[in-house]
Amino acid sequence: MIRKVLIANRGEIARRVLRTCREQGLATVAVYSDGDEQLPHVREADEAVRLGPARAAESYLDTDRILAAARDTGADAIHPGYGFLSENADFVEACQQAGLIFVGPPARAIRLMGDKAEARRRMADSGVPVLPGMDQPQADDASLRDAAGEVGYPLLIKAVAGGGGKGMRIVHDAESFDTELAAARREARGAFGDERMLLERYLPSARHVEVQVFMDRQGQAVHLYERDCSVQRRHQKIIEEAPAPGLSHEQREAMGAAAVRAAEAIGYEGAGTVEFLLAPDGEFFFMEMNTRLQVEHPVTELITGQDLVAWQLRVADGLALPLDQGEIPLEGAAMEVRVYAEDPARGFLPSAGTLTRADWPRAHARVDTGFEQGDTVSDHYDPMVAKIIAHGGDRAGARRQLGRALRQTRLTGIRHNLDFLLRVLESEPFAAAQLDTRLLELHGELLDVPEPEPKLLLAAAALSEQRRRQGPETDPWSSLTGWRPLGERRFTLRLALEDDTHLVSLVTRNDGHWLDIDGEAHAFGHRTTEGLDRIEVADQRLVFTSAPTSTGTVIFVDARPWAVAVDPPLEQLESDDRGDTPFVAPMSGTVVSCHVDAGETVDTGQAVITLEAMKMENTLHAPGPGTVTALPFGEGDSVREGDLLVEFEAEAQ
Ligand code: MV4
């Protein structure tokens, strides 16, 4: 029986595995490299062992150091997560030699599936459909060229040692075959030290549909339905979902059965994923098998209600699978996005850095992340910051929930792809489930990065500041302080967006709400629903969230942050805060006239004082019946923003 698990990984997957181990009552050991010691996966484990320098080769990829950590802590099993050593057959053997249980398949299954030609042959022999091709990789260039003619064009040259799109070349015609073959061989020799190639008919328009399988040591195999992972960018998955939309019951059964056959054919153990290409006519073909728990496993967990890590641990313990095929539920639909530290506005350049703010969505979604606020995303490892996963009664519901969750996420300090994710998620082709591995090529506009109107950002910032000063519970329109000309309430700020400053007022009058920017008035509307603010300025709309910063406000539009500075910053104003009196000068200016004398009683709405600022005259009115007890400034006096212009005592109610 496994009692103590060493998790040979980092970040979100280390935490994910830890969570189940803890629930199962297993002791846990984390490992970490220099720079990672402050991360959540390290502090959440019962014990943690330093491996070495940040470089993966000297830490998370170093078999000897990991085995030493397991020995030193008395761990009896190693969970590899994904990536790093998860599909390294030599590592699996080393674990076994050290008397450790490797939570994953046997070394021979990993080796077999790592050889793409061997895998293809084994699948074809077991009745798993494969595309027309040539999988005798010892062939020389001349016989490959001959075989290409039989396979037909367009075709793919695939590296035997490749996978995930590495070492792959499309060849459209016989004329370019030799050049492409030479290039593929060169690339593969450099990347894998293995230049063997196989050929396969190229299916230009297809979906990537993969089936989750499990097999125990007793020889029982089941599938847990499929995931559609067609939305990719340069072989990097972006959105994954389960089940694959539009599959008929028969197709689902056929793909599931083929995947189970694949697992049985190779005497598999544990969690595996069989990837298929799904052609527009519904035919499907084996692509490759991943011999690990995958990044996107949570969508399967959400539709089946199963804990796949718990299943892995059971199988590793030699126990039978917890459910038979017929007992595995499929409920609703789930969708996952991968949040990467990269900048969509700059060609998706990776963007390491410290998460100065990390507010993960609380409702609507599951968040698997290895980082909390204050943590640093290192440039030594994969730039994935989080997975956000939503479940709904159907695909539309899951998509809606996920959209809400993404808009509620507030991340600053790194560039990230949340706005891009939202754009794809809410695009027409994706909403209509027009899934295709070329979705982003067919809809290049999804790569454009639109910028919100400055007007809208200023309005959003003014509204956020106004609420921040008067508390989140107040209705911005009933509590506007500052200038109160008769029938008008006004909240004014100087805001800086990029290099320009603007005088912005939120105004409410009996003819409606207005936004005044540098003296120009725009019709303005606002409401808050589902934790999101929605504003409308002169027929343009913006949905946003906001958060205070040391210099003002950050407005998140499609989760993309825009900094708006408040001039002067709130701290300065708060130092001479006059509570909620309506008679605080909203900006510097000059007193034009005092309409009453000190000591005079006034009635609701009666004019008290007029100030001129920024070429505008503004009159303050009494908010209710009361007494003007003092007028500290006289006509012609200069006043500064925040000055108390009128001391007023409201009449007791
Ligand atoms: C293919 C293919 C079309 N025809 N094989 C890409 C990753 C690796 N798993 C195999 N891949 C492909 N193999 C044939 N015969 C198209 C791809 C492919 C792809 C597959 C899934 C998701 C995105 C993709 C993007 C480009 C190419």
Side-chain angles (χ1 to χ4, degrees), residues 14-36:
R15 278 181 110 181
R16 165 70 195 86
V17 174
L18 269 164
R19 173 164 69 77
T20 294
C21 288
R22 203 182 310 121
E23 284 168 13
Q24 307 273 319
L26 302 174
T28 54
V29 182
V31 291
Y32 61 91
S33 66
D34 293 341
D36 274 3

Side-chain angles (χ1 to χ4, degrees), residues 500-524:
D500 299 320
T501 39
H502 306 272
L503 194 69
V504 181
S505 302
L506 293 173
V507 185
T508 195
R509 299 197 310 231
N510 40 23
D511 64 345
H513 304 307
W514 299 87
L515 174 78
D516 204 298
I517 300 178
D518 300 325
E520 202 184 323
H522 310 272
F524 183 75

Side-chain angles (χ1 to χ4, degrees), residues 131-132 156 158 163-166 168 170 200-204 206-208 229-230 232 235 237 275-277 287-288 437-438 441:
L131 278 157
L156 269 177
K158 291 183 171 181
K166 276 179 249 141
M168 214 172 76
I170 304 173
E200 200 164 78
R201 172 79 60 76
Y202 176 59
L203 205 56
R207 289 164 63 180
H208 171 133
C229 310
S230 300
Q232 311 206 355
H235 302 297
K237 291 173 184 162
E275 293 184 355
F276 295 106
L277 280 170
M287 258 196 306
E288 50 193 74
T437 55
R438 295 172 309 163
E441 289 157 55

